[in-house]
Structure formats: structure tokens, C-alpha cells
Amino acid sequence: MSTTEESPKKSLNFIEQIIEDDLKNGKNQSQVHVRFPPEPNGYLHIGHAKSICLNFGLARDYQGTCNLRFDDTNPEKENVEYVESIKKDIEWLGFKWNDKPLFTSDYFEQLYQFAIQIIKAGNAYVCEQSAEEIANYKGTPTQAGKDSPWRNRPIAESLDLFERMRKGEFAEGTLSLRAKIDMASPNMHMRDPLMYRIKKDAHHRTGAEWNIYPMYDFAHGQSDYIEGITHSICTLEFEVHRPLYEWFLDQVYDPSRLRPRQIEFARLNLSYTVMSKRKLLQLVQEGLVSGWDDPRMPTISGLRRRGYTPKSLHTFADMIGVARRDNMIDLGKLEFAIREDLNKTALRRMAVLNPLKVVITNYPEGKAEMLDAVNNPEDETAGMRQVSFGREIYIEQDDFMEQAPKNYFRLTVGAEVRLRYAYFIRCTEVVKNSDGEIIELRATYDPESKGGKSPDGRKVKGTIHWVSAEHGVKASVNLYDRLFLTEDPQDVEEGVNFLDTINSESLKVIDAIVEPALLETNVGDHFQFERMGYFCTDLDSSSNRLIFNKTVGLKDTWAKVSQN
Ligand code: ATP
Ligand code: MG
């Protein structure tokens, strides 16, 4: 039944264990139906990616199905742009939902009928308390609440009022439908929770049809039930809602149908990252990032634009596993996952991010030659390309030092260095401007060292990358750093706004010179700029104006810092 038989080494996580037990016991006709239930009130983020990999992964591994259900019960904050972006992101991750996308709003009539059924059974009532009165009557975790004065009104009266709430006869905040459970329950969620409230906003799908909207706790479990979901997987904060989930199900459950079971797991928290959609929306609305898909955002669209691949997100989800307790995952793990993937797949190219011109004085003027370069040493099938070499080239400013320490193996006056795929050069002279800044280097090359091979066994320790000045192409490169300076920006000290912990240097735009092969690129292509890191072609890049985004460095520089 499960793929675990094919790969016996992988141990089951606790959710897989539950599912395998259920399958063994023939529960729910031995079926596995799960769902991913986003609220379309923002773009999906890396936490959602984890939930998507988990749910769709379970459906795949247990020959089940996974529904995509938009949990659209709050007309105020939801819209079609979000619906479309969510579908796009799930498809990009490589998953297919069962049948067509589903919407809780499609069940509004059915949910309404369930509510009527519960009122008729004497287990729900229309309450006329204001939100404030309801809160005052609620009690505290250590103190029982008080019954609403409307709790025992006749069923017929509640039915009548509920119908008129639907018709729009009452103003927002005046009446509500409440479950009649137990105002003294130690679980606050069981103290006559709201089932429906009046809301006059237009809904993105049902328009002005409804004047009442179901509350999450009521709508969610019933939607699971309507869809025949067997395992309803959600994050830990819903653990305390589980008795209510069960209570609502008990009201309508027909034993001939499948009965969903709620299972909670720990949500993903990533260091240096905020993930609440409300906070992400704030970053977008206040213009602190360029949009939901800003490459610094932890959204799936931001990660995609940054250069993350679906595979790297799958790997990351596998690496972090499924936990029962909240924890904080090091952002370095995500960076590790993308580095692993790109190392195997990204074409190597040469790009000089901070150019310094070098004139090779003994190289014939006007001559240019093509040299062979390997596209990807990790992938033979990626083949070779040619790079043009000439008398004037650019190297990184950092690859030259006038007063170099002993163990400096890059370029310095009098010393020799290997130009990747080209020749050995020796620096002969430094040219400065009137401010004393280095503006150019002069060098000689050894014509016998073509391809960077030593002609006589003499050793050259340093190899640096370069780009031909004549053939190189200008490109704009976006260098990113963490968007937040604090490890846990979601949980800053009281009185501190999370926005105050933003890293004002999280984006640096520089003008680079890149090898001409990079003109042949499409949006989203991945490259390793040799020695500089992994980059991808930005959404706004064109052959007239190349733009590359730095995905991640070649090494975990942060880990190195903490080791020192
Ligand atoms: P946010 O707090 O960011 O607004 P949410 O939980 O309100 O998130 P939903 O659209 O309701 O967002 O989430 C859809 C699904 O994704 C839910 O099943 C939820 O449990 C899951 N999910 C949301 N955030 C995370 C996370 N950080 N880690 C794992 N799963 C998550
Ligand atoms: Mg939610």
C-alpha cells in the first residue's frame, strides 16, 4: 500500500504512523483523502510549502487524493488575485489537486442547512448579545462563564431569527448564531462558540448573496466532512479546537459516510523570517519590499524569483520533517537545500561583480580568441562553451591587493595568477587616479600557458575569474541579505515593532560585467557565477537589460562567522 515498503529505511513520521494504523484497521474504508485549505487572503509562503509537501505527499504515497480547498469564509480580506497566485504556486511545486479547486463558499447553502439541523436539535441558538457582552460572559480559563440570556429561547424563535439574519434584516454585530455547549467547560473554545456572524461585505465569489458567514471552526470541519476527508492535517494552534471539531461533527455525522480526524503538527518557523500573512501584507503595503514576489520575501513566489527550485523546497521539507512541537528552523537549512540542487544543475558562467580593468601589455592589440570552458563540472552532459579572451579584461577588485599578505594567492604586483580557462598572467603595474584609487592594472601573460595549464611545471596557486572587456556585457545584479536582523522577528520584545528590525541593507544593486553567453538566458534560468555564488535571471530581465538575482552564496558564510 505504501511506498515505505519500497524504501524500508525511511522511518515513518507520526502522521504516516496514524495513517498506516488507520489503513490496517480498515478505518474510513481504508481510504486516504487529505486537503490543503489556504485562506485566499495573501500569497503562500514557505510554511505553506511545508504543508503542501506534507498533504500532497501523503496523497501520493498512500494512493489517496488531496483536495485544494479555498477556505473563503471571510469576505473582507479575500480576493481572486490570491486565489490565482495560490493555484500557480501549488502547480509550480509540482503537485496536482484532486479534480478542480474547491471553495468553502460553495458549501454555504449546505453549511446553512447543517446549522438549521443543529438549531432544530436544540444545540444552537441565536444570541442577541454584543461582542463585548459575549466576551464579558465568557469567563476566564479558571473561572466558568455565564449563560447568555438568549441561550434557552425557543427553537422556533432561533430558526426564525436565523433565517432573517440570512435575509439581511439585521445589522452587523447585533445577532449571532451560537453553539449551545457548555459555558463552564475548561476549554474556552467550548463555551458556546459562534457559528455564524452577520457581515454585509460582498464576497469575491458569492457577491451579495449572503449576509451571514460561518466561523472557521464550524465551516472547516463540516467542509472536511462534506468532501469526505479522512485526515484533516493542521497546525498545532488548532489542537485546543479539536474537541469543538468533534462536537460539530457529532451534530451532523451520518455513520455511512467517512469521518475526518484532525491531526496537528508543528508549524514551520524560520529564523530571520516573518511568516504571518498579516505581517507579509504589511511589508507589501508599506512598500518595504517591491511586492509579494520580492526575492527577499519568504513567499513561494518570492523564493521562485530569488532562484529557489521546486526540488529544493521538497528537499527542505523532507529535511525538517514533521514535528509535534514548535521549533525554529535555521534559515541555513533552506540555503543548504538550494545549494545542493543548484550545484548539480546550474550552468557555470563568469561574471565580474566589481570590475577592475587589466591590460595585458604583451597580448597583441586587436586580437581576440575563443577559449574552451566547462559548463558544469558536476554534469558531463552540460558540455562546453567558448569564452572570448582579449588584451583587456575585467577581474574582481577583490582579487587584487597592492600590499598583499604572504598567504594571498590572488593577484598582486609581481605575482602570477591563473585566469580560469585562459592563461597565467603576472601583474606588472598599478595605475591610479589623482585620488590614489586603483583604476587599472597592467600585466603580461604567458602565451605557453593556454587553457590555464602550466607550460613548465611551475606552480600558480590562485585561479581567478575574468570577463573580456571588449565582449563582456553589462548586467544589473541584485545582491540580497536577510530581510530581518533579529533571529525571531515574529516575536520581538514588547513595544518593539517587527518593522524596526528590518535590515536596511537587505538589497544592494550593482553593475556587473558578465560573459556574453549570459545573453542567451530566459527568466528563471539558474547559473553559478564562478566563485561568486548562485544567481538566476530576474522576471524583469531582457536582452537589452540583463538582471540577475543572487540566490545564495557558494558556502554558508553565516556558519563561518559563528565559528570564528
Ligand atoms: P498565516 O498565519 O501565515 O496567516 P494561516 O494558517 O492563517 O497562515 P492558511 O491560509 O489558513 O494560513 O493556511 C493554509 C494551510 O497552511 C493550513 O493548513 C495551515 O495549517 C498551513 N500553514 C500555514 N502556515 C504554516 C506554517 N508556518 N507551517 C506549516 N503549515 C502552515
Ligand atoms: Mg488560517
Side-chain angles (χ1 to χ4, degrees), residues 38-85:
E39 182 179 357
N41 62 348
Y43 281 59
L44 296 183
H45 53 60
I46 178 79
H48 294 116
K50 172 179 172 164
S51 176
I52 290 167
C53 289
L54 174 61
N55 281 294
F56 284 90
L58 289 169
R60 176 196 59 213
D61 294 347
Y62 293 100
Q63 287 88 50
T65 54
C66 183
N67 288 350
L68 166 60
R69 181 203 312 146
F70 289 97
D71 189 1
D72 56 349
T73 54
N74 184 1
E76 249 173 290
K77 295 181 178 163
E78 298 162 0
N79 72 47
V80 178
E81 176 195 347
Y82 297 140
V83 169
E84 293 308 315
S85 75

Side-chain angles (χ1 to χ4, degrees), residues 36-39 45 47-48 50-51 233-235 237 265 267-268 275-277:
F36 175 66
E39 182 179 357
H45 53 60
H48 294 116
K50 172 179 172 164
S51 176
I233 298 162
C234 62
T235 42
E237 68 273 21
F265 73 104
R267 64 170 46 233
L268 168 66
M275 248 182 281
S276 124
K277 278 185 277 188

Side-chain angles (χ1 to χ4, degrees), residues 93-105:
L93 281 172
F95 292 113
K96 270 201 160 48
W97 48 82
N98 183 38
D99 199 16
K100 54 186 191 319
L102 304 169
F103 294 84
T104 302
S105 54

